[in-house]
mmCIF file with all atom_site columns, all heavy atoms in Angstrom:
data_model
loop_
_atom_site.group_PDB
_atom_site.id
_atom_site.type_symbol
_atom_site.label_atom_id
_atom_site.label_alt_id
_atom_site.label_comp_id
_atom_site.label_asym_id
_atom_site.label_entity_id
_atom_site.label_seq_id
_atom_site.pdbx_PDB_ins_code
_atom_site.Cartn_x
_atom_site.Cartn_y
_atom_site.Cartn_z
_atom_site.occupancy
_atom_site.B_iso_or_equiv
_atom_site.pdbx_formal_charge
_atom_site.auth_seq_id
_atom_site.auth_comp_id
_atom_site.auth_asym_id
_atom_site.auth_atom_id
_atom_site.pdbx_PDB_model_num
ATOM 1  N N   . VAL B 1 2  ? -10.178 -0.515 12.620 1.00 0.00 ? 2  VAL B N   1
ATOM 2  C CA  . VAL B 1 2  ? -8.736  -0.511 12.776 1.00 0.00 ? 2  VAL B CA  1
ATOM 3  C C   . VAL B 1 2  ? -8.230  0.879  12.525 1.00 0.00 ? 2  VAL B C   1
ATOM 4  O O   . VAL B 1 2  ? -8.664  1.569  11.610 1.00 0.00 ? 2  VAL B O   1
ATOM 5  C CB  . VAL B 1 2  ? -8.081  -1.465 11.756 1.00 0.00 ? 2  VAL B CB  1
ATOM 6  C CG1 . VAL B 1 2  ? -6.572  -1.356 11.821 1.00 0.00 ? 2  VAL B CG1 1
ATOM 7  C CG2 . VAL B 1 2  ? -8.533  -2.881 11.998 1.00 0.00 ? 2  VAL B CG2 1
ATOM 8  N N   . LYS B 1 3  ? -7.292  1.258  13.370 1.00 0.00 ? 3  LYS B N   1
ATOM 9  C CA  . LYS B 1 3  ? -6.730  2.582  13.143 1.00 0.00 ? 3  LYS B CA  1
ATOM 10 C C   . LYS B 1 3  ? -5.203  2.483  13.154 1.00 0.00 ? 3  LYS B C   1
ATOM 11 O O   . LYS B 1 3  ? -4.604  1.948  14.077 1.00 0.00 ? 3  LYS B O   1
ATOM 12 C CB  . LYS B 1 3  ? -7.196  3.554  14.216 1.00 0.00 ? 3  LYS B CB  1
ATOM 13 C CG  . LYS B 1 3  ? -7.083  4.988  13.792 1.00 0.00 ? 3  LYS B CG  1
ATOM 14 C CD  . LYS B 1 3  ? -7.884  5.881  14.711 1.00 0.00 ? 3  LYS B CD  1
ATOM 15 C CE  . LYS B 1 3  ? -7.860  7.322  14.222 1.00 0.00 ? 3  LYS B CE  1
ATOM 16 N NZ  . LYS B 1 3  ? -8.553  8.207  15.151 1.00 0.00 ? 3  LYS B NZ  1
ATOM 17 N N   . VAL B 1 4  ? -4.624  3.012  12.077 1.00 0.00 ? 4  VAL B N   1
ATOM 18 C CA  . VAL B 1 4  ? -3.185  3.128  11.998 1.00 0.00 ? 4  VAL B CA  1
ATOM 19 C C   . VAL B 1 4  ? -2.880  4.621  11.937 1.00 0.00 ? 4  VAL B C   1
ATOM 20 O O   . VAL B 1 4  ? -3.359  5.301  11.023 1.00 0.00 ? 4  VAL B O   1
ATOM 21 C CB  . VAL B 1 4  ? -2.624  2.415  10.750 1.00 0.00 ? 4  VAL B CB  1
ATOM 22 C CG1 . VAL B 1 4  ? -1.100  2.561  10.695 1.00 0.00 ? 4  VAL B CG1 1
ATOM 23 C CG2 . VAL B 1 4  ? -2.995  0.929  10.767 1.00 0.00 ? 4  VAL B CG2 1
ATOM 24 N N   . THR B 1 5  ? -2.124  5.101  12.896 1.00 0.00 ? 5  THR B N   1
ATOM 25 C CA  . THR B 1 5  ? -1.821  6.529  12.917 1.00 0.00 ? 5  THR B CA  1
ATOM 26 C C   . THR B 1 5  ? -0.321  6.749  12.730 1.00 0.00 ? 5  THR B C   1
ATOM 27 O O   . THR B 1 5  ? 0.501   5.917  13.144 1.00 0.00 ? 5  THR B O   1
ATOM 28 C CB  . THR B 1 5  ? -2.280  7.164  14.239 1.00 0.00 ? 5  THR B CB  1
ATOM 29 O OG1 . THR B 1 5  ? -1.673  6.449  15.332 1.00 0.00 ? 5  THR B OG1 1
ATOM 30 C CG2 . THR B 1 5  ? -3.782  7.079  14.418 1.00 0.00 ? 5  THR B CG2 1
ATOM 31 N N   . GLN B 1 6  ? -0.021  7.846  12.124 1.00 0.00 ? 6  GLN B N   1
ATOM 32 C CA  . GLN B 1 6  ? 1.373   8.229  11.910 1.00 0.00 ? 6  GLN B CA  1
ATOM 33 C C   . GLN B 1 6  ? 1.599   9.578  12.564 1.00 0.00 ? 6  GLN B C   1
ATOM 34 O O   . GLN B 1 6  ? 0.705   10.433 12.554 1.00 0.00 ? 6  GLN B O   1
ATOM 35 C CB  . GLN B 1 6  ? 1.696   8.254  10.413 1.00 0.00 ? 6  GLN B CB  1
ATOM 36 C CG  . GLN B 1 6  ? 1.604   6.888  9.788  1.00 0.00 ? 6  GLN B CG  1
ATOM 37 C CD  . GLN B 1 6  ? 1.983   6.830  8.326  1.00 0.00 ? 6  GLN B CD  1
ATOM 38 O OE1 . GLN B 1 6  ? 1.268   6.275  7.508  1.00 0.00 ? 6  GLN B OE1 1
ATOM 39 N NE2 . GLN B 1 6  ? 3.127   7.413  7.976  1.00 0.00 ? 6  GLN B NE2 1
ATOM 40 N N   . SER B 1 7  ? 2.763   9.773  13.129 1.00 0.00 ? 7  SER B N   1
ATOM 41 C CA  . SER B 1 7  ? 3.006   10.905 14.025 1.00 0.00 ? 7  SER B CA  1
ATOM 42 C C   . SER B 1 7  ? 2.847   12.254 13.345 1.00 0.00 ? 7  SER B C   1
ATOM 43 O O   . SER B 1 7  ? 2.407   13.207 13.972 1.00 0.00 ? 7  SER B O   1
ATOM 44 C CB  . SER B 1 7  ? 4.394   10.795 14.653 1.00 0.00 ? 7  SER B CB  1
ATOM 45 O OG  . SER B 1 7  ? 5.373   10.552 13.644 1.00 0.00 ? 7  SER B OG  1
ATOM 46 N N   . SER B 1 8  ? 3.200   12.346 12.063 1.00 0.00 ? 8  SER B N   1
ATOM 47 C CA  . SER B 1 8  ? 3.099   13.640 11.383 1.00 0.00 ? 8  SER B CA  1
ATOM 48 C C   . SER B 1 8  ? 2.537   13.445 9.990  1.00 0.00 ? 8  SER B C   1
ATOM 49 O O   . SER B 1 8  ? 2.801   12.422 9.350  1.00 0.00 ? 8  SER B O   1
ATOM 50 C CB  . SER B 1 8  ? 4.488   14.295 11.263 1.00 0.00 ? 8  SER B CB  1
ATOM 51 O OG  . SER B 1 8  ? 5.129   14.404 12.500 1.00 0.00 ? 8  SER B OG  1
ATOM 52 N N   . ARG B 1 9  ? 1.767   14.398 9.498  1.00 0.00 ? 9  ARG B N   1
ATOM 53 C CA  . ARG B 1 9  ? 1.335   14.348 8.102  1.00 0.00 ? 9  ARG B CA  1
ATOM 54 C C   . ARG B 1 9  ? 2.385   14.976 7.186  1.00 0.00 ? 9  ARG B C   1
ATOM 55 O O   . ARG B 1 9  ? 2.585   14.528 6.073  1.00 0.00 ? 9  ARG B O   1
ATOM 56 C CB  . ARG B 1 9  ? 0.008   15.100 7.923  1.00 0.00 ? 9  ARG B CB  1
ATOM 57 C CG  . ARG B 1 9  ? -1.184  14.432 8.550  1.00 0.00 ? 9  ARG B CG  1
ATOM 58 C CD  . ARG B 1 9  ? -1.466  13.034 7.978  1.00 0.00 ? 9  ARG B CD  1
ATOM 59 N NE  . ARG B 1 9  ? -1.650  13.020 6.536  1.00 0.00 ? 9  ARG B NE  1
ATOM 60 C CZ  . ARG B 1 9  ? -2.810  13.245 5.929  1.00 0.00 ? 9  ARG B CZ  1
ATOM 61 N NH1 . ARG B 1 9  ? -3.885  13.506 6.636  1.00 0.00 ? 9  ARG B NH1 1
ATOM 62 N NH2 . ARG B 1 9  ? -2.895  13.209 4.608  1.00 0.00 ? 9  ARG B NH2 1
ATOM 63 N N   . TYR B 1 10 ? 3.030   16.029 7.680  1.00 0.00 ? 10 TYR B N   1
ATOM 64 C CA  . TYR B 1 10 ? 4.059   16.708 6.919  1.00 0.00 ? 10 TYR B CA  1
ATOM 65 C C   . TYR B 1 10 ? 5.270   16.964 7.828  1.00 0.00 ? 10 TYR B C   1
ATOM 66 O O   . TYR B 1 10 ? 5.108   17.293 8.986  1.00 0.00 ? 10 TYR B O   1
ATOM 67 C CB  . TYR B 1 10 ? 3.543   18.051 6.385  1.00 0.00 ? 10 TYR B CB  1
ATOM 68 C CG  . TYR B 1 10 ? 2.343   17.926 5.486  1.00 0.00 ? 10 TYR B CG  1
ATOM 69 C CD1 . TYR B 1 10 ? 1.055   18.050 5.998  1.00 0.00 ? 10 TYR B CD1 1
ATOM 70 C CD2 . TYR B 1 10 ? 2.500   17.667 4.121  1.00 0.00 ? 10 TYR B CD2 1
ATOM 71 C CE1 . TYR B 1 10 ? -0.038  17.921 5.170  1.00 0.00 ? 10 TYR B CE1 1
ATOM 72 C CE2 . TYR B 1 10 ? 1.397   17.536 3.289  1.00 0.00 ? 10 TYR B CE2 1
ATOM 73 C CZ  . TYR B 1 10 ? 0.129   17.658 3.817  1.00 0.00 ? 10 TYR B CZ  1
ATOM 74 O OH  . TYR B 1 10 ? -0.962  17.515 3.007  1.00 0.00 ? 10 TYR B OH  1
ATOM 75 N N   . LEU B 1 11 ? 6.451   16.795 7.226  1.00 0.00 ? 11 LEU B N   1
ATOM 76 C CA  . LEU B 1 11 ? 7.682   16.954 7.994  1.00 0.00 ? 11 LEU B CA  1
ATOM 77 C C   . LEU B 1 11 ? 8.735   17.539 7.067  1.00 0.00 ? 11 LEU B C   1
ATOM 78 O O   . LEU B 1 11 ? 8.880   17.079 5.926  1.00 0.00 ? 11 LEU B O   1
ATOM 79 C CB  . LEU B 1 11 ? 8.116   15.579 8.495  1.00 0.00 ? 11 LEU B CB  1
ATOM 80 C CG  . LEU B 1 11 ? 8.933   15.437 9.757  1.00 0.00 ? 11 LEU B CG  1
ATOM 81 C CD1 . LEU B 1 11 ? 8.273   16.138 10.935 1.00 0.00 ? 11 LEU B CD1 1
ATOM 82 C CD2 . LEU B 1 11 ? 9.100   13.961 10.076 1.00 0.00 ? 11 LEU B CD2 1
ATOM 83 N N   . VAL B 1 12 ? 9.452   18.536 7.572  1.00 0.00 ? 12 VAL B N   1
ATOM 84 C CA  . VAL B 1 12 ? 10.566  19.120 6.805  1.00 0.00 ? 12 VAL B CA  1
ATOM 85 C C   . VAL B 1 12 ? 11.823  19.014 7.656  1.00 0.00 ? 12 VAL B C   1
ATOM 86 O O   . VAL B 1 12 ? 11.828  19.480 8.801  1.00 0.00 ? 12 VAL B O   1
ATOM 87 C CB  . VAL B 1 12 ? 10.289  20.586 6.429  1.00 0.00 ? 12 VAL B CB  1
ATOM 88 C CG1 . VAL B 1 12 ? 11.470  21.145 5.642  1.00 0.00 ? 12 VAL B CG1 1
ATOM 89 C CG2 . VAL B 1 12 ? 9.007   20.729 5.624  1.00 0.00 ? 12 VAL B CG2 1
ATOM 90 N N   . LYS B 1 13 ? 12.837  18.378 7.095  1.00 0.00 ? 13 LYS B N   1
ATOM 91 C CA  . LYS B 1 13 ? 14.085  18.178 7.822  1.00 0.00 ? 13 LYS B CA  1
ATOM 92 C C   . LYS B 1 13 ? 15.262  18.600 6.952  1.00 0.00 ? 13 LYS B C   1
ATOM 93 O O   . LYS B 1 13 ? 15.154  18.680 5.728  1.00 0.00 ? 13 LYS B O   1
ATOM 94 C CB  . LYS B 1 13 ? 14.249  16.696 8.207  1.00 0.00 ? 13 LYS B CB  1
ATOM 95 C CG  . LYS B 1 13 ? 13.205  16.227 9.206  1.00 0.00 ? 13 LYS B CG  1
ATOM 96 C CD  . LYS B 1 13 ? 13.395  16.840 10.561 1.00 0.00 ? 13 LYS B CD  1
ATOM 97 C CE  . LYS B 1 13 ? 12.371  16.337 11.551 1.00 0.00 ? 13 LYS B CE  1
ATOM 98 N NZ  . LYS B 1 13 ? 12.532  16.968 12.892 1.00 0.00 ? 13 LYS B NZ  1
#
Side-chain angles (χ1 to χ4, degrees):
Chain B
V2 174
K3 201 164 184 184
V4 180
T5 56
Q6 295 183 229
S7 49
S8 306
R9 290 299 303 273
Y10 300 94
L11 207 54
V12 179
K13 295 291 181 181

